[in-house]
Amino acid sequence: VDVPMYPSVEHDLAIVVDRNLPAKRVEQMIQSAGGKLLDSVRLFDVFEDEKKLGADKKSLAFSLSYRAKDRTLTSEEVDRQHEHIVAKVTRATGGAVRS
């Protein structure tokens, strides 16, 4: 097993989307927007509550791991890439970030 030389940086993303949208599709969108710094994406929570989220909505929470093979990432690099992913995925899904 290869142990990475450089640490990963973890960020969570919770996005409210239409209940019919498969989580796997959102995960694919995240990976597609992630670029070379996105190391992995993992769904860790699905939340549905009509009172809190609205009718026919669900919240999908993902753990995103960023890593570079050749260096330690700066927080600015990770934040910029994370914001890019959030913008692309919210635009593509019509979803909204859940705070």
Side-chain angles (χ1 to χ4, degrees):
V1 175
D2 286 340
V3 177
M5 279 186 67
Y6 298 97
S8 64
V9 179
E10 310 293 323
H11 274 287
D12 290 345
L13 169 60
I15 185 166
V16 178
V17 296
D18 288 336
R19 185 176 283 151
N20 303 345
L21 185 61
K24 192 70 182 165
R25 181 72 190 107
V26 178
E27 182 178 326
Q28 290 166 343
M29 290 178 197
I30 292 169
Q31 287 178 326
S32 168
K36 63 182 190 279
L37 298 183
L38 184 63
D39 192 46
S40 67
V41 179
R42 182 179 61 84
L43 177 70
F44 69 87
D45 187 48
V46 178
F47 175 75
E48 294 183 37
D49 184 325
E50 200 169 308
K51 287 187 176 120
K52 291 184 179 175
L53 302 177
D56 298 322
K57 296 287 184 188
K58 66 183 173 186
S59 172
L60 302 173
F62 295 91
S63 176
L64 284 64
S65 179
Y66 298 91
R67 183 191 318 267
K69 292 178 179 20
D70 60 345
R71 68 190 188 289
T72 298
L73 294 173
T74 65
S75 56
E76 291 81 17
E77 284 178 294
V78 174
D79 290 347
R80 191 168 47 245
Q81 190 61 39
H82 192 73
E83 288 168 16
H84 173 77
I85 291 170
V86 170
K88 281 193 91 163
V89 173
T90 53
R91 198 167 43 245
T93 61
V97 173
R98 182 165 177 240
S99 48

